[in-house]
Amino acid sequence: MSAAQWTRRKVLNTAAGTAALAGASALAAPGVAEAHGGRPGPHDRLRIIAIEEAILLPGLITQGTALNGAIPFKPEVTAEWFKRLPDVTEYRLADMDANGVTMQVLSLTPPGVQMQPDAAIAVRDAQVANDAPAAVIAAHPTRFGGLAALPLQDPRAAVREARRAIRDLGMAGFLVNGHTNGHYLDEPQFRPVWAALEELGAALYLHPTPAPTGDWGLLKDRPELVGPLYSWAAETGGHALRVVLGGVFDDFPGARLIVGHMGEFLPYMIPRLDVQIRNINTKVPLKRKPSAYLTRNIAITTSGVMDDNMLQAAIRSVGIDNVLFAIDYPFERSEQAVGFLREASLSPGHRRKIASGNAERILKL
């Protein structure tokens, strides 16, 4: 047993909310075959790690999910999501096995702890939110990893929780659901958090949030634009650019940010960013062009964008080593996401990198 697996087993009986998430022992994960020419075939096995996979935990004081806002989701769709969000062993493992998913990396569904106005409660909720999946991971070390929550309302406590999550709980990295009560990750108070992430060698996944920071006239009378159709990508991509323009990666060159949904528009904007940055007096002088940070410090996932043309463009823009597979379970269908991965126009080596190799390297899985 590896040291990481031993650590995960050590916390098995310490987690709050374990009964709601832990279950029967892990089932064997079927492999996905890969044949000559890059297409799936009967001989080679493909290890698939999905890294943006949501859970909903009991016991949190901070309430709310991405499903209870102004987005006009169909009731029958949200009912299915709510059935699957708190579950691990009844629906989730069966879904993984049916679709050849080796591992899901679990994270707290938005808004997570980011919208809690009381810093002390945010710290408590982050601990609960990290203990529970750590126990699940300890019970199923080959099937699940975890991205820990960070109580950014108290940056010093967030640093302590970051170290505990990695060193004691064996988590693979972190996930932050958008802004924290209107505060963004480029702001000075978060520099100690970035320093800790660089010290730990741990990546941070920047996920969309359903919580608006104010009125956006563009969305007026068009609730369809709120959420996955448009606003989440624009807001999350803009947040990532704030991190770049704030000089975070100049101060912490070893820091890693992951953004989902094929890069939240960013890969397709790289040429324009590099041209226009020359025309703008930036508040913080940058050492490099935006493209350098978007290929060195930022990785992207495929979650929710299951199109080969978009994938090929993203690979050309950010590089094959910066593209990771994600399903966005249960909000997206595993069979569609995995089918896209299997059928994408990729060499066997590139398919393995996207399917699991890049996640193993960046998240140390």
Side-chain angles (χ1 to χ4, degrees), residues 48-345:
I48 298 178
I49 300 175
I51 75 163
E52 186 192 325
E53 317 312 316
I55 54 173
L56 180 62
L57 295 173
L60 298 184
I61 295 174
T62 305
Q63 298 297 313
T65 76
L67 313 181
N68 66 356
I71 308 167
F73 288 122
K74 297 177 180 179
E76 64 272 20
V77 172
T78 59
E80 182 66 19
W81 290 342
F82 273 117
K83 182 179 77 173
R84 293 176 177 272
L85 276 168
D87 165 77
V88 170
T89 56
E90 183 177 358
Y91 303 113
R92 193 178 300 254
L93 274 174
D95 183 275
M96 292 166 64
D97 289 332
N99 293 287
V101 177
T102 312
M103 175 182 285
Q104 279 193 6
V105 180
L106 306 174
S107 56
L108 189 60
T109 194
V113 301
Q114 261 58 66
M115 293 303 100
Q116 175 53 246
D118 187 312
I121 293 175
V123 172
R124 176 264 182 197
D125 273 2
Q127 292 168 347
V128 171
N130 296 335
D131 284 343
V136 172
I137 294 163
H140 307 272
T142 65
R143 306 309 304 276
F144 295 112
L147 298 178
L150 286 175
L152 295 175
Q153 293 87 337
D154 182 341
R156 290 184 179 179
V159 168
R160 292 194 296 270
E161 184 62 16
R163 290 172 175 154
R164 186 182 80 94
I166 297 296
R167 294 171 177 170
D168 297 342
L169 302 184
M171 302 292 268
F174 302 92
L175 183 140
V176 168
N177 286 289
H179 63 89
T180 300
N181 294 319
H183 293 284
Y184 293 87
L185 286 162
D186 61 303
E187 296 179 27
Q189 67 268 29
F190 299 129
R191 282 311 201 260
V193 178
W194 284 108
L197 298 183
E198 185 180 51
E199 168 200 329
L200 294 166
L204 188 153
Y205 200 122
L206 181 58
H207 191 274
T209 179
T213 53
D215 292 333
W216 187 0
L218 177 70
L219 307 179
K220 184 179 180 181
D221 299 324
R222 274 285 162 247
E224 306 94 328
L225 290 176
V226 178
L229 280 189
Y230 179 73
S231 69
W232 286 354
E235 291 167 350
T236 308
H239 192 163
L241 280 180
R242 286 186 65 115
V243 174
V244 170
L245 295 174
V248 169
F249 298 129
D250 285 340
D251 292 342
F252 307 102
R256 265 286 194 173
L257 190 69
I258 304 174
V259 293
H261 313 108
M262 212 66 84
E264 312 287 15
F265 299 155
L266 292 179
Y268 317 105
M269 292 295 294
I270 285 176
R272 183 164 175 79
L273 294 173
D274 279 353
V275 168
Q276 288 303 314
I277 200 71
R278 298 180 305 199
N279 301 327
I280 296 172
N281 286 321
T282 57
K283 187 176 180 180
V284 177
L286 298 179
K287 295 180 180 179
R288 298 173 174 83
K289 295 186 296 184
S291 59
Y293 305 103
L294 288 165
T295 54
R296 187 188 69 173
N297 298 101
I298 296 179
I300 71 172
T301 77
T302 62
S303 57
V305 184
M306 293 162 280
D307 180 87
D308 196 45
N309 290 325
M310 297 299 100
L311 176 62
Q312 300 306 324
I315 291 171
R316 287 193 294 271
S317 295
V318 304
I320 186 62
D321 292 328
N322 291 318
V323 182
L324 297 81
F325 178 70
I327 296 170
D328 206 356
Y329 177 96
F331 307 116
E332 301 287 350
R333 290 169 46 233
S334 299
E335 58 267 31
Q336 184 179 4
V338 174
F340 158 68
L341 174 65
R342 292 173 178 172
E343 295 299 323
S345 301

